[in-house]
Amino acid sequence: MKLERLAASVPKHEFEFLMKLGQMTRVEMLALIEKHEGHRAAIYADLANITARR
């Protein structure tokens, strides 16, 4: 339930964009959102690091 609440903190279109940008599954993106407790700046920074490593 907590994951769904965190997922709801990010608009659906942005959530889907993040998944596409990071080439991540829904579960992986939810884990990233949970890791940063929904803080978008931290999510984007971590996502940039992840994609830079690929």
Side-chain angles (χ1 to χ4, degrees):
M1 190 64 165
K2 179 183 177 186
L3 290 178
E4 293 303 321
R5 186 174 45 82
L6 286 171
S9 70
V10 178
K12 183 180 178 183
H13 68 279
E14 187 174 357
F15 185 85
E16 290 172 353
F17 171 73
L18 289 169
M19 284 177 48
K20 190 177 209 175
L21 186 66
Q23 299 176 345
M24 301 173 93
T25 65
R26 184 176 194 279
V27 173
E28 291 170 326
M29 186 53 61
L30 285 172
L32 186 65
I33 292 170
E34 181 181 32
K35 176 181 173 184
H36 298 293
E37 298 179 351
H39 296 284
R40 284 207 187 103
I43 293 167
Y44 275 101
D46 202 3
L47 187 60
N49 287 334
I50 290 168
T51 55
R53 284 185 256 140
R54 290 186 180 172

